Amino acid sequence: MQEPQITEDLIAAHGLKPEEYAEIIRLLNREPSFTELGIFSAMWNEHCSYKSSRKWLRTLPTSGLQVICGPGENAGVVDIGDGQAVVFKMESHNHPSYIEPYQGAATGVGGILRDVFTMGARPIAAMNSLSFGSLDHPRTRQLVHGVVEGIGGYGNCFGVPTVGGELRFHPAYDGNCLVNAFAAGLADADSIFYSAASGVGMPVVYLGAKTGRDGVGGATMASAEFDDTIEEKRPTVQVGDPFTEKRLMEATLELMATGAVISIQDMGAAGLTCSAVEMGDKGNLGVELDLDSVPVREENMTAYEMMLSESQERMLMVLRPEKEAAAKAVFAKWDLDFAIVGHTIDEDRFVVRHCGAVKADLPLKALSGTAPEYDRPWQETPAADPMADVPGIDPIDGLRALLSSPNYASKAWVYEQYDSQVMADTVRLPGQGAGIVRVHGTGKALAFTSDVTPRYVRANPVEGGKQAVAEAFRNLCAVGARPLAATDNLNFGNPEKPEIMGQLVGAIRGIGAACTALDMPIVSGNVSLYNETDGRAILPTPTIGAVGLLAHLDEIIAAAPEAGQLALLIGESHGHLGQSALLYEVFNREDGDAPPVDLGAERRNGEFIRDNRALIAACTDLSDGGLALAAFEMAAAGGIGVQLDTDDTPILFGEDQARYLIACSFDQAEALMVAAGQADVPIAAVGRFGGDIVQFGTAQAPLAELATLYRTALATALD
């Protein structure tokens, strides 16, 4: 088959700028072949190379006593004691999910699970953070249904519990939904598997499912804006098979136990190209591939298609030659393909052969380790204008507005479609703060949360970045867990626009400051840029996934209060209503600044919660909707009423940070007051739990009425 002639239009279709193509010619001292053009396109796009963000990602804190492996591998690895480690990462599948919601979301789950078990860890938990457009938009309901079904369909069949996540709606996501998938697994700390190839002449082995044409060009598509040609991109979305993935996991973990694996890499974005190049680059080796040996499920596939296919459920491994027979037997047992498709070489070359011809012969380092890196111009986000006065409202009416909004109503319609208890180790189900999973066979547990408030980030990227980390920290502390580390999923618009690049820079600065102050290093992550349609960007959405450790299940702080307990507020309340949920949902306003984040207070107050857990009957952090929404959610969790002593709008609905709401007995409250004074932590009694009404000052409504509204609003909106 004759390869297409390379033209300016073809170069542009591959996402390469004219100056980048000129650099390719300089590196090769010749024009690239069509297959080579595709390889460069895959490796130099934003999704694989991080060319716009690498400079700033280097500023993030990535190390700590607890960190075994930071960014750069398939997933991050953190020590949890007793010779065990938690392996976790979050990644986006935004563009594919907008084009083909079910498969886009499903393969996002499949990809993040492979990232975890490729490191030698058995997955124990999943989460997702989802952002959709306005419910008035004609595509939103279809997208929500497809994405949720795809996540549930893949995760439930694979057999991993989904224990938490987020769901938001805003018109800025009308043309670009966000699907951020998180997975975590357990491994022995001394049995982690890495991707760096080693040894010259070592066999490179293809593992798993066969290669097809699905997903060809997916990584390049994920690094481009959308326009009215979006339907033409449908073939770039991969198709997943969770049952094959389950077999692949079992086969991979069994293979690792044989000692056959030198290095191993998931075939994710850019498929065979990226996995082979990254393994060679990290090991300072070259790689030769013979595509005639690659298992395929379609006829007459070209070298270009085979190298850029993103068919799912595939891995690439460098094998110890003496273990070949044992390794092959493992994959035959699980009815999966096992094929030697190449070998390592001691030159800086990436050579691809097909049908007896050399289809690519490239300097390997130029594809990965020394790929382009840009210091893009950026401008700081202007300071927010002072917020206009907010009218006082009936506080129960304000609460009703939040409870009836799809943004703040119960997300049970979503998480009830996920299996949250498969494996029987889930201790805290979704909808009650951080999800908790016991570490099987021990008394320990791990807590998981995912957080970001995009409207804060748009108003003030630095404070918004801090707040995303701080809220994750609080969610972990509120269940009694010690925060260990975080993963980030940075979703932004076009970085070639200085104002968008400024959002990214500011958010990373805020995230870095908070991670340092709260001892929560970033150990893995993903950057998703060009989330724009017809030039309109999403809200800047730097999602933070975080993991915390409970030394014993007895240390878990409950979510539900009991009748007769007092309500205590930890932290200072100034009534900050800028960018608040109340402002948006009641007054249709998005003005004012993000709330300032005092990182010293965040750490101090969080440590106070954990240190005094024995005196706390139930706890939640305060975030969207402030004290009013937190008090209602605690009351609803316990099935009892709550009475707060104030009806002041700013105090009830303000979103000041570093705050927690506690339920405890009178005696516990007295002891907490003393302890708070000694720790210099603000504390105040604000009400009590009991009865069957929700009362703020003198305004009140039956708990049953509000709870029904809260429980049904999302499903009603999505009908």
Side-chain angles (χ1 to χ4, degrees), residues 20-301:
E20 291 174 333
Y21 186 70
E23 176 63 11
I24 291 170
I25 292 175
R26 189 194 69 77
L27 284 167
L28 301 182
N29 199 28
R30 60 175 172 82
E31 295 271 350
S33 69
F34 179 58
T35 300
E36 289 173 333
L37 178 71
I39 290 171
F40 271 108
S41 166
M43 294 306 301
W44 281 15
N45 67 57
E46 200 72 57
H47 192 76
C48 293
S49 73
Y50 297 95
K51 58 190 177 187
S52 297
S53 56
R54 260 187 292 171
K55 170 183 175 176
W56 299 101
L57 294 176
R58 291 193 197 100
T59 68
L60 291 170
T62 59
S63 60
L65 294 177
Q66 70 274 41
V67 178
I68 295 173
C69 175
E73 279 293 339
N74 288 293
V77 186
V78 176
D79 194 340
I80 61 169
D82 305 312
Q84 293 179 300
V86 60
V87 179
F88 64 95
K89 188 180 185 182
M90 179 174 271
E91 277 205 340
S92 60
H93 232 222
N94 303 335
H95 284 48
S97 297
Y98 190 80
I99 297 169
E100 182 57 62
Y102 185 96
Q103 290 296 346
T107 53
V109 174
I112 200 65
L113 289 169
R114 284 196 304 281
D115 281 336
V116 167
F117 68 74
T118 302
M119 302 289 291
R122 182 174 290 277
I124 62 165
M127 295 190 296
N128 52 80
S129 179
L130 311 177
S131 304
F132 296 99
S134 166
L135 280 163
D136 295 332
H137 189 272
R139 285 211 64 193
T140 297
R141 285 174 175 79
Q142 175 223 354
L143 288 169
V144 175
H145 282 270
V147 165
V148 170
E149 288 168 11
I151 291 170
Y154 204 102
N156 295 353
C157 294
F158 179 86
V160 61
T162 299
V163 300
E166 299 177 281
L167 173 65
R168 68 182 57 86
F169 298 88
H170 191 281
Y173 302 105
D174 281 348
N176 271 91
C177 65
L178 301 184
V179 176
N180 294 175
F182 170 100
L186 282 174
D188 291 335
D190 60 356
S191 298
I192 305 299
F193 287 81
Y194 298 99
S195 59
S198 65
V200 176
M202 296 294 107
V204 175
V205 183
Y206 175 113
L207 306 168
K210 288 178 168 54
T211 293
R213 290 186 171 91
D214 53 317
V216 172
T220 301
M221 175 272 293
S223 302
E225 295 182 33
F226 284 154
D227 53 29
D228 56 10
T229 65
I230 184 171
E231 284 302 313
E232 298 172 13
K233 297 179 171 69
R234 190 172 300 276
T236 63
V237 179
Q238 313 93 323
V239 177
D241 179 353
F243 299 107
T244 298
E245 177 112 337
K246 177 69 170 175
R247 287 186 288 123
L248 179 61
M249 179 189 72
E250 298 296 349
T252 300
L253 295 178
E254 187 174 332
L255 175 69
M256 289 168 168
T258 69
V261 179
I262 294 175
S263 64
I264 190 163
Q265 175 78 33
D266 163 45
M267 280 197 228
L272 188 55
T273 290
C274 192
S275 55
V277 168
E278 287 191 358
M279 289 173 76
D281 178 51
K282 291 173 185 174
N284 291 312
L285 293 167
V287 174
E288 288 194 7
L289 296 179
D290 180 0
L291 300 187
D292 295 341
S293 301
V294 171
V296 295
R297 65 169 184 263
E298 300 185 46
E299 295 181 355
N300 302 317
M301 289 189 70

Side-chain angles (χ1 to χ4, degrees), residues 405-682:
S405 165
N407 283 311
Y408 305 109
S410 166
K411 304 305 185 291
W413 180 88
V414 174
Y415 61 70
E416 286 175 356
Q417 297 184 55
Y418 306 148
D419 190 336
S420 299
Q421 300 185 71
V422 63
M423 300 173 66
D425 283 322
T426 305
V427 178
R428 179 74 62 86
L429 296 173
Q432 301 182 55
I436 303 176
V437 175
R438 68 170 57 86
V439 179
H440 197 77
T442 75
K444 297 183 295 189
L446 289 165
F448 303 97
T449 186
S450 168
D451 298 285
V452 66
T453 309
R455 62 183 184 274
Y456 292 171
V457 186
R458 182 179 58 182
N460 189 328
V462 175
E463 292 302 310
K466 287 182 189 176
Q467 192 275 339
V469 177
E471 187 175 344
F473 176 85
R474 290 198 302 272
N475 276 324
L476 296 175
C477 291
V479 300
R482 175 171 64 89
L484 290 177
T487 180
D488 59 358
N489 201 152
L490 308 178
N491 307 273
F492 290 82
N494 184 346
E496 296 170 49
K497 298 177 179 177
E499 66 274 18
I500 299 294
M501 193 65 207
Q503 292 176 344
L504 176 63
V505 171
I508 290 175
R509 285 177 163 173
I511 290 168
C515 287
T516 298
L518 302 176
D519 193 20
M520 280 174 56
I522 297 288
V523 297
S524 58
N526 172 244
V527 177
S528 174
L529 304 179
Y530 295 95
N531 289 289
E532 298 199 2
T533 298
D534 294 328
R536 185 182 181 211
I538 61 164
L539 293 180
T541 311
T543 311
I544 300 294
V547 178
L549 177 66
L550 288 139
H552 198 278
L553 290 165
D554 292 345
E555 296 183 349
I556 296 174
I557 301 174
E562 295 180 0
Q565 291 176 341
L566 299 182
L568 268 58
L569 181 62
I570 300 293
E572 293 187 353
S573 297
H574 303 287
H576 184 98
L577 288 173
Q579 299 297 328
S580 66
L582 182 82
L583 204 62
Y584 183 65
E585 300 293 347
V586 175
F587 300 103
N588 195 28
R589 288 169 48 185
E590 296 180 86
D591 55 317
D593 200 357
V597 180
D598 182 335
L599 294 170
E602 292 284 3
R603 180 157 190 159
R604 187 164 54 250
N605 296 356
E607 288 175 348
F608 176 80
I609 296 293
R610 300 200 311 272
D611 291 345
N612 293 279
R613 73 187 84 213
L615 299 171
I616 299 172
C619 181
T620 185
D621 85 303
L622 269 62
S623 53
D624 292 310
L627 175 60
L629 189 56
F632 167 80
E633 288 178 343
M634 285 187 77
I640 56 173
V642 61
Q643 296 83 49
L644 297 182
D645 300 328
T646 182
D647 61 1
D648 181 73
T649 298
I651 296 302
L652 283 170
F653 295 98
E655 296 180 4
D656 304 286
Q657 301 295 295
R659 297 190 300 162
Y660 300 81
L661 185 61
I662 289 171
C664 61
S665 69
F666 182 83
D667 290 345
Q668 289 171 326
E670 284 192 324
L672 283 167
M673 294 280 189
V674 172
Q678 294 170 343
D680 194 25
V681 168

